[in-house]
Amino acid sequence: MAVLAYRYHQFHKEKNDIFVDVAGEDDRKFSLGQLRRFSWRELQLATDNFSENNIIGQGGFGKVYKGILSDNMKVAVKRLADYYSPGGEAAFQREIQLISVAVHKNLLRLIGFCTTSSERILVYPYMQNLSVAYRLRELKPGEKGLDWPTRKNIAFGAAHGLEYLHEHCNPKIIHRDLKAANILLDDNFEPVLGDFGLAKHVDTKFTHVTTQVRGTMGHIAPEYISTGKSSEKTDVFGYGITLLELVTGQRAIDLSRLEEEEEVLLLDHIKKLLSENRLDDIVDGNLKTYDRKEVETIVQVALLCTNSSPEGRPKMTEVVKMLQGIGLAEKWAKWEQLEDAMKQDLSLMSRQYIWAEDSCTDQEAIQLSKAR
C-alpha cells in the first residue's frame, strides 16, 4: 500500500503506516489503494461552489452536498466543520482509516478525499434514495416510502454490514452510531452503513473501549452511558433500536408521546404494546400490507438486541441467524421468562414500598394522637 507523507497526524499503525499530506491544496490526483485525492477546485465545481441548494444532510460534523464530477459521476461531498479541533481532525482521520479498510457491499464506500490548509472533505458515491430515516419520516409529496419487503431487506443488510465489522475485520470495528439516519439507500434501495466518524477499532485483547460517550440519545446502550465503555454489544443495542424504527417508522425518542403515556423511549413504548398483545398497533401506519409473522420475528430480535445487560445480547452472527428464524424461539422464550421475573420483582418492591409508606404514616398518626 502506498505511503503518503502526512505533516502532523498519523492515521494508523499496523503492518503498514498510512499518512496523508496536508501541506496545502494540490491539484494532482492520485490513489491510496482505491482512494482518489480531489482538488478543492474539482469539488467546488461539482457542488456549484457548495451551494445551499445542494445540501442533502448535515449534523455536528458539518454538511453533505450533492455533487456531479466532470465525468458526470454523482457524489456526496462531506465537508467537515471545525476540522482543526481535536475531535474534527480525529473524525476525518478515523473515517478515512476505517472505511478505506472495511470493504463490504453493505458498507458505504469512500471514493476519495480533499485536504487543504483550511478544509477536510470526504467524497462518497451519491445514494439516490438518501437515508432510511428520510424514507421513513421526511418524504416529500409523491416520493416513494418503504414497503415491508424493503424494510425487511434493510434489516438483513444492516445486520450483514455490522457482522462484517465485528467478525471479519482485524482488529474489529465498532460503529458507535447506528441508526436509521446512518443507513443509506442506493438506486435499488439496498442498504449501506455510513458515517464512520465515531467508529473505533477494538483490539481483540480487550473486551471494550473506554471513551467519552458519543452517539445519538435513544440509540445509546445503557452501560455505555453509565460507564463510558463501548463494545460490539453497544452496536447490537443500536441495531435493535434501528429495527424498531423500521417496524414503527418512529423516532427512538418522541416527546409527543407524553401527551398519552409516560413512555418517551420507543423501546419502552414497544414493550408496553407487546405486553398488551397489540402487535398490529406497533406497525407503521404507512404500511398498507405486511407479513405479521415477519414483523413479530423482527420485533423479537430487536428486543433481544436491546437487552439491558450487554452479556444478554446476541452477537451479530446470531442476529443474522435469528432473522432467518434459526434459534429465535428458544432465546425469545428465555427473554420472556426474564421479563416476567423482572416484572414480579418490581411488583413486589412496589407493594413493599407502599406497605412501608403506610406503616410510617400510621406511626406518625399514632404519635400525633398521643396526649400532649
Side-chain angles (χ1 to χ4, degrees):
M1 187 178 291
V3 178
L4 308 180
Y6 181 64
R7 178 179 285 177
Y8 302 110
H9 299 284
Q10 184 172 343
F11 274 107
H12 191 40
K13 203 164 184 80
E14 288 180 323
K15 294 181 181 178
N16 298 306
D17 289 340
I18 303 173
F19 298 86
V20 172
D21 180 5
V22 293
E25 182 170 351
D26 185 348
D27 287 333
R28 292 172 300 162
K29 294 177 289 188
F30 56 91
S31 297
L32 168 57
Q34 293 182 343
L35 293 187
R36 172 179 170 184
R37 179 162 183 173
F38 291 89
S39 70
W40 165 259
R41 183 60 178 165
E42 280 181 284
L43 299 182
Q44 190 179 32
L45 291 171
T47 60
D48 192 19
N49 196 24
F50 296 95
S51 168
E52 295 288 306
N53 295 328
N54 286 326
I55 293 176
I56 55 174
Q58 61 186 72
F61 58 82
K63 297 177 180 179
V64 181
Y65 300 82
K66 179 181 178 181
I68 302 178
L69 300 178
S70 57
D71 60 3
N72 290 323
M73 180 182 182
K74 293 180 180 179
V75 291
V77 180
K78 185 175 181 178
R79 188 181 187 187
L80 276 70
D82 299 330
Y83 84 87
Y84 41 81
S85 69
E89 182 66 30
F92 174 77
Q93 294 180 26
R94 188 182 302 120
E95 199 144 354
I96 286 189
Q97 173 189 330
L98 298 182
I99 208 167
S100 61
V101 171
V103 180
H104 186 274
K105 69 175 184 177
N106 295 117
L107 301 179
L108 184 62
R109 179 172 59 92
L110 180 64
I111 295 175
F113 61 93
C114 171
T115 60
T116 75
S117 59
S118 59
E119 295 281 352
R120 297 291 182 276
I121 300 173
L122 298 166
V123 182
Y124 301 95
Y126 176 67
M127 293 288 111
Q128 182 68 36
N129 289 303
L130 303 178
S131 72
V132 171
Y134 179 86
R135 291 287 154 185
L136 289 175
R137 299 184 286 265
E138 302 166 26
L139 287 178
K140 296 181 176 65
E143 289 184 323
K144 182 181 178 182
L146 301 174
D147 59 19
W148 177 249
T150 302
R151 297 187 196 212
K152 187 176 72 167
N153 186 58
I154 291 168
F156 274 88
H160 284 300
L162 270 187
E163 179 191 25
Y164 173 82
L165 291 176
H166 293 178
E167 305 297 335
H168 302 286
C169 290
N170 186 22
K172 69 177 62 177
I173 296 171
I174 53 176
H175 188 280
R176 297 205 302 162
D177 197 19
L178 191 69
K179 56 185 178 180
N182 286 340
I183 302 177
L184 306 178
L185 300 168
D186 69 11
D187 295 6
N188 299 314
F189 285 89
E190 288 295 324
V192 292
L193 306 186
D195 199 341
F196 283 74
L198 297 183
K200 275 189 175 294
H201 272 139
V202 179
D203 194 312
T204 52
K205 297 176 184 177
F206 303 99
T207 57
H208 64 263
V209 176
T210 303
T211 183
Q212 182 180 355
V213 176
R214 301 287 181 84
T216 304
M217 292 306 296
H219 294 262
I220 304 176
E223 76 278 2
Y224 187 22
I225 294 175
S226 61
T227 68
K229 295 177 181 178
S230 61
S231 69
E232 64 267 34
K233 292 301 181 74
T234 57
D235 272 358
V236 174
F237 185 93
Y239 173 78
I241 298 296
T242 303
L243 287 185
L244 297 181
E245 287 187 276
L246 277 171
V247 171
T248 66
Q250 299 178 34
R251 299 179 186 278
I253 296 180
D254 188 351
L255 297 178
S256 68
R257 277 196 289 270
L258 282 174
E259 297 175 5
E260 300 179 1
E261 55 182 275
E262 295 180 359
E263 284 77 13
V264 172
L265 295 177
L266 180 59
L267 178 58
D268 293 338
H269 176 63
I270 297 304
K271 285 184 176 181
K272 178 177 181 292
L273 292 177
L274 205 61
S275 68
E276 298 169 355
N277 295 316
R278 296 166 57 190
L279 182 67
D280 291 320
D281 290 336
I282 290 173
V283 180
D284 188 349
N286 292 319
L287 276 173
K288 304 307 178 187
T289 59
Y290 55 90
D291 186 310
R292 199 174 190 278
K293 181 60 180 174
E294 291 176 348
V295 168
E296 186 177 41
T297 294
I298 286 184
V299 170
Q300 289 178 359
V301 172
L303 294 181
L304 289 169
C305 288
T306 52
N307 192 312
S308 58
S309 167
E311 293 78 15
R313 295 172 209 149
K315 293 183 176 181
M316 287 309 301
T317 50
E318 296 175 290
V319 169
V320 170
K321 291 178 181 177
M322 288 193 297
L323 288 172
Q324 299 168 339
I326 303 171
L328 176 59
E330 311 90 86
K331 286 183 169 61
W332 180 248
K334 185 177 180 180
W335 184 90
E336 287 187 307
Q337 289 176 356
L338 291 173
E339 281 291 302
D340 288 342
M342 189 182 302
K343 288 175 184 176
Q344 290 175 8
D345 289 344
L346 289 173
S347 177
L348 179 61
M349 288 173 61
S350 177
R351 287 199 298 271
Q352 290 175 338
Y353 173 76
I354 292 172
W355 181 86
E357 190 178 53
D358 288 344
S359 299
C360 291
T361 303
D362 291 343
Q363 288 297 323
E364 184 180 20
I366 291 169
Q367 292 293 333
L368 291 175
S369 65
K370 286 183 179 180
R372 290 175 172 79

